[in-house]
Amino acid sequence: MKHDDPLPPRPVSDSQSEMTEIVLPNDANPLGSLLGGRLMHWIDMAGALAAHRHSRSYVVTASIDHLDFLVPVHVGDLVILRSSVNRVFNTSMEIGVKVWVEHYLNDECQHVSSAYLTFVAVDGSGNHLAVPVVVPETDEQKRRYNDAGARREIRRAHLERRNSVSR
Ligand SMILES: CC(C)(COP(=O)(O)OP(=O)(O)OC[C@H]1O[C@@H](n2cnc3c(N)ncnc32)[C@H](O)[C@@H]1OP(=O)(O)O)[C@@H](O)C(=O)NCCC(=O)NCCS
């Protein structure tokens, strides 16, 4: 459950990440709109970038919360995904990913989706590792840190309900 030497606390800004994709025909349905599943994959990758950088370890995706697709994205559009560590618990961390579509022809950006993912840090054998504390610095980071605590309680309640039903 531990790194050999516990890693020092790290600010959110150290691991904030950005990923850009151009939507190609292979990413789209027959109407030329981005497939939801492809966007989910990119969200997972963008989340993993921040999780790897913060924890300095391998990670596995434990969960992805509810996901809405707010506007359609089309072939040729640029998709920008920004990820940051919202909060660290013990071996897990919540990562927020916000997705934007950039219509470069008219210089317009629209919010496409926001997602919260939980990653668990693991070593090469799959053993869970303690994750270094994350330090929120800005007001926005502090708000996300507090909100992540409330979301963790909702997830735990959901897991308990699921486990009691499957017993
Ligand atoms: C996620 C996984 C590592 C959890 O392992 P586990 O031994 O069942 O979980 P534990 O009860 O020991 O919990 C470990 C941590 O994961 C968290 N966790 C477990 N299940 C979770 C879930 N569904 N959502 C959010 N967090 C979860 C726990 O809260 C705990 O966090 P903490 O240490 O920060 O308190 C394990 O179920 C797994 O490996 N799943 C497959 C992951 C995978 O392959 N993902 C890719 C997509 S298939």
Side-chain angles (χ1 to χ4, degrees):
M1 291 274 287
K2 282 193 172 140
H3 281 283
D4 290 341
D5 296 313
L7 294 166
R10 306 183 63 204
V12 173
S13 54
D14 266 18
S15 53
Q16 277 176 322
S17 300
E18 183 171 306
M19 191 173 121
T20 305
E21 296 283 340
I22 183 159
V23 181
L24 297 174
N26 198 37
D27 302 317
N29 68 19
L31 299 174
S33 298
L34 174 63
L35 295 162
R38 184 76 82 225
L39 183 55
M40 286 161 70
H41 174 69
W42 291 343
I43 288 172
D44 195 23
M45 294 297 101
L49 286 179
H52 283 304
R53 284 175 170 153
H54 178 78
S55 65
R56 301 190 181 190
S57 67
Y58 302 120
V59 295
V60 293
T61 314
S63 69
I64 302 181
D65 291 7
H66 177 90
L67 206 54
D68 289 313
F69 302 113
L70 304 174
V71 293
V73 177
H74 298 106
V75 171
D77 287 341
L78 292 183
V79 175
I80 297 151
L81 302 102
R82 298 195 178 103
S83 58
S84 63
V85 179
N86 288 340
R87 187 159 176 165
V88 166
F89 301 103
N90 301 301
T91 64
S92 69
M93 61 205 122
E94 184 194 274
I95 310 289
V97 179
K98 197 160 182 179
V99 184
W100 300 86
V101 58
E102 180 181 327
H103 306 289
Y104 50 88
L105 292 182
N106 55 7
D107 200 18
E108 209 183 78
C109 264
Q110 280 180 293
H111 178 207
V112 175
S113 195
S114 292
Y116 303 109
L117 301 91
T118 302
F119 289 90
V120 175
V122 294
D123 66 15
S125 307
N127 302 307
H128 302 179
L129 295 172
V131 178
V133 167
V134 73
V135 183
E137 292 176 319
T138 66
D139 288 348
E140 183 71 4
Q141 290 168 4
K142 288 174 188 165
R143 181 189 63 74
R144 289 176 179 158
Y145 181 95
N146 289 329
D147 291 353
R151 283 189 291 270
R152 176 170 162 96
E153 291 313 310
I154 294 169
R155 281 182 213 114
R156 283 161 84 110
H158 168 76
L159 277 175
E160 273 170 29
R161 266 200 312 278
R162 192 197 64 190
N163 291 340
S164 68
V165 168
S166 61
R167 258 182 226 130

